[in-house]
Amino acid sequence: MPSFTPDSELDLLFSPSLIPGNVKSQLGADLHMRPLAKTDHSRSHLSVLAVLTSTPDLTVEQYTQAFETLRSCPNTYYTVVIVSRETDTVVGVGSIFMEQKFTRNLGRVGHIEDIAVDKSMQGRKLGLRVIQALTGISEATGCYKTILNCSDENIPFYKKCGFEKKENEMARYH
Ligand code: ACO
């Protein structure tokens, strides 16, 4: 079984100091929260996302290229992962991207996307911790609000995370 890889040995998407310390400290001692790493393809990142939606496997090259695309946009994309210290695999994940507006005195809005917790780890407040970390990053980077879309069945979860229902989602698939 692979041993746990510390942040100092990883190529990360953003500075780990942006993740609120009080959120990290509330995880179990068996878990660690950090920014997505360039090598998380090998730590089951995509398997965790598969609990959310269709997630066909990618080659390492495709994964690395997507990671570099995110990283090439400064102050915009933040993905956090929760890693099991025992297995060095990803067990929870979530992302936020920041939108620059012309309105609201050049305000910024945080958009939360792709929250997923491995089935075996659901119910341990990991989803809540991921949302707390992402909203903390949103606030710390100057966003005046954080928004997301979800299914009716996930509304109670997001209410527990402090969100309220506003307006409607529209979609057009291509
Ligand atoms: N209905 C009612 N309450 C819920 C639900 C639900 N579906 N899910 C969680 N809760 C409650 C929990 O009971 C807990 O309440 P408590 O504080 O009173 O004990 C609280 O919400 C926090 O729950 P967590 O333990 O943090 O939830 P978990 O770690 O299981 O993560 C998640 C929740 C992310 C929805 C997980 O079940 C999951 O991965 N589901 C499949 C993928 C998914 O639907 N992701 C969200 C898509 S929406 C988006 O990405 C923007």
Side-chain angles (χ1 to χ4, degrees), residues 48 51-53 112-119 121-129 131 148-151 153-158 160-161:
V48 177
V51 307
L52 171 67
T53 190
I112 285 182
E113 287 283 341
D114 296 346
I115 306 299
V117 173
D118 185 76
K119 275 201 162 48
M121 300 294 276
Q122 289 179 8
R124 276 189 60 181
K125 301 235 190 300
L126 304 193
L128 174 67
R129 300 295 170 231
I131 296 296
L148 59 87
N149 294 322
C150 72
S151 62
E153 69 175 25
N154 279 326
I155 288 175
F157 166 68
Y158 287 110
K160 291 254 161 103
C161 295

Side-chain angles (χ1 to χ4, degrees), residues 6-174:
D7 290 2
S8 57
E9 289 177 20
L10 292 167
D11 197 1
L12 300 172
L13 185 58
F14 61 95
S15 167
S17 64
L18 268 176
I19 299 178
N22 65 327
V23 175
K24 288 170 78 167
S25 66
Q26 290 180 82
L27 290 168
D30 55 332
L31 298 169
H32 174 64
M33 184 185 284
R34 61 163 168 75
L36 185 73
K38 197 170 175 176
T39 47
D40 280 338
H41 180 271
S42 67
R43 295 187 185 85
S44 305
H45 175 202
L46 300 179
S47 312
V48 177
L49 281 175
V51 307
L52 171 67
T53 190
S54 161
T55 313
D57 198 11
L58 300 173
T59 64
V60 172
E61 289 70 26
Q62 288 172 319
Y63 185 91
T64 305
Q65 196 172 12
F67 180 93
E68 290 298 2
T69 299
L70 298 180
R71 197 160 57 173
S72 68
C73 306
N75 310 319
T76 305
Y77 292 106
Y78 302 85
T79 294
V80 299
V81 294
I82 298 177
V83 178
S84 159
R85 290 182 185 275
E86 192 191 343
T87 59
D88 204 37
T89 56
V90 174
V91 295
V93 63
S95 298
I96 187 165
F97 68 91
M98 311 317 187
E99 174 200 3
Q100 175 64 58
K101 290 202 167 285
F102 282 101
T103 56
R104 298 263 180 175
N105 199 20
L106 295 175
R108 278 159 58 90
V109 173
H111 296 258
I112 285 182
E113 287 283 341
D114 296 346
I115 306 299
V117 173
D118 185 76
K119 275 201 162 48
S120 68
M121 300 294 276
Q122 289 179 8
R124 276 189 60 181
K125 301 235 190 300
L126 304 193
L128 174 67
R129 300 295 170 231
V130 167
I131 296 296
Q132 288 173 331
L134 297 177
T135 49
I137 293 169
S138 185
E139 254 192 282
T141 57
C143 292
Y144 73 91
K145 71 174 178 182
T146 304
I147 58 178
L148 59 87
N149 294 322
C150 72
S151 62
D152 285 352
E153 69 175 25
N154 279 326
I155 288 175
F157 166 68
Y158 287 110
K159 283 190 170 166
K160 291 254 161 103
C161 295
F163 285 69
E164 56 179 320
K165 186 166 167 14
K166 290 272 262 182
E167 301 168 349
N168 300 296
E169 175 192 340
M170 306 284 284
R172 179 166 167 170
Y173 287 83
H174 304 287

